[in-house]
Amino acid sequence: MNLLDPELIVAFLTLAALEIVLGIDNIIFLSIMAAKLPLHQQARARTIGLAGAMGTRIALLVSLSWIAKLTADLFSIAGMGFSGRDLILSLGGLFLFWKAGGEILLMLRGESHEVGDRGGDRGVTFAGIVVQIMVLDIVFSLDSVITAVGMTDNLPVMIAAIVTAVIVMMFFAGPLSRFVDANPTIKMLALAFLVLIGGVLVLEGVDVHVDKAYVYTAMGFSVAVEFLNLRMRRKMAELSASALR
């Protein structure tokens, strides 16, 4: 295999970029969940979560025959077939609904941060957060790997692209987590994204295809508007401070 083959390089760069885009929802989820832990445990939880995502993706890639079986129908209801992939996506989407929806309700009640004795949210354990991150890793990894398999059949290129994407995500996970936690409106927007993604996963699980381009365009537009709101609030705060002097 010629590592300087232009086709391989293009496939690697394209797939790595796609994996990063597909990993945005994963980063949002693990950042919000890790923020529930004491500060000294958050970075470790994020690293374990992303390392687990990388391990899951690679394990799925080296078992392509098993992935192929996941697309075969296991049973049907009212003439609609359900495969292993459909069940995983549907359950993962419902899990996202439950977690993100629950977090939104807590924020609306002002109960999203009941601090325990050692910092972090009351009743939250490191193991519990890591397990929840791992559960969603499986769902996000399945979608990511199926996309990778559809783009190229070169296993080393797929693995290299996934490892590169996860390393990039590890680099940005910390700053993103701190930014989301420091800005409640951004956190609410991120949770709304997770509810949206949960809905998309459930629809995919019942064979209703949703073009991801529309989803990510809507997310990008919402983020742009929220950044304008943040800048406006900062400017208004500066003007108010100046007026009081």
Side-chain angles (χ1 to χ4, degrees):
M1 181 176 64
N2 182 9
L3 295 178
L4 298 179
D5 184 346
E7 288 188 9
L8 286 182
I9 294 174
V10 170
F12 166 75
L13 293 176
T14 304
L15 190 52
L18 186 60
E19 290 293 324
I20 292 171
V21 171
L22 290 174
I24 290 173
D25 42 17
N26 204 343
I27 292 179
I28 292 173
F29 180 78
L30 73 87
S31 296
I32 290 174
M33 297 309 295
K36 291 174 164 295
L37 293 168
L39 188 60
H40 69 280
Q41 292 183 338
Q42 291 179 15
R44 187 155 57 104
R46 289 193 298 267
T47 301
I48 291 175
L50 285 170
M54 182 173 67
T56 303
R57 284 163 166 76
I58 293 174
L60 288 172
L61 280 175
V62 298
S63 57
L64 294 179
S65 59
W66 183 72
I67 292 178
K69 292 178 182 177
L70 280 178
T71 59
D73 287 348
L74 299 175
F75 59 90
S76 62
I77 298 176
M80 179 182 293
F82 289 88
S83 65
R85 173 182 176 273
D86 294 336
L87 292 176
I88 292 173
L89 292 179
S90 296
L91 292 174
L94 292 173
F95 181 77
L96 266 184
F97 267 136
W98 172 53
K99 292 304 298 181
E103 284 294 313
I104 289 173
L105 289 176
L106 288 175
M107 287 187 69
L108 291 175
R109 294 173 186 162
E111 303 171 2
S112 58
H113 285 286
E114 294 182 11
V115 181
D117 296 336
R118 298 172 139 191
D121 285 12
R122 191 180 304 278
V124 172
T125 65
F126 182 83
I129 292 296
V130 169
V131 167
Q132 291 180 58
I133 291 172
M134 292 293 188
V135 168
L136 258 296
D137 276 345
I138 295 172
V139 179
F140 292 138
S141 295
L142 185 64
D143 195 27
S144 170
V145 168
I146 288 174
T147 301
V149 171
M151 289 189 62
T152 180
D153 58 359
N154 191 307
L155 184 61
V157 169
M158 288 189 282
I159 292 176
I162 284 172
V163 171
T164 301
V166 170
I167 290 173
V168 171
M169 288 190 286
M170 283 181 174
F171 180 77
F172 286 104
L176 177 63
S177 180
R178 289 188 291 273
F179 179 71
V180 168
D181 205 43
N183 295 276
T185 57
I186 290 287
K187 185 174 181 180
M188 180 66 79
L189 184 62
L191 288 167
F193 287 162
L194 291 178
V195 171
L196 173 63
I197 292 164
V200 171
L201 290 175
V202 171
L203 289 175
E204 293 279 354
V206 294
D207 291 331
V208 177
H209 178 66
V210 179
D211 192 336
K212 297 294 195 305
Y214 293 119
V215 176
Y216 288 119
T217 299
M219 290 170 64
F221 180 76
S222 300
V223 169
V225 171
E226 184 57 30
F227 271 110
L228 290 175
N229 283 329
L230 285 174
R231 184 161 186 175
M232 180 186 69
R233 286 194 291 269
R234 191 177 298 118
K235 188 67 177 177
M236 291 178 66
E238 290 174 357
L239 291 172
S240 298
S242 298
L244 291 173
R245 291 195 189 112

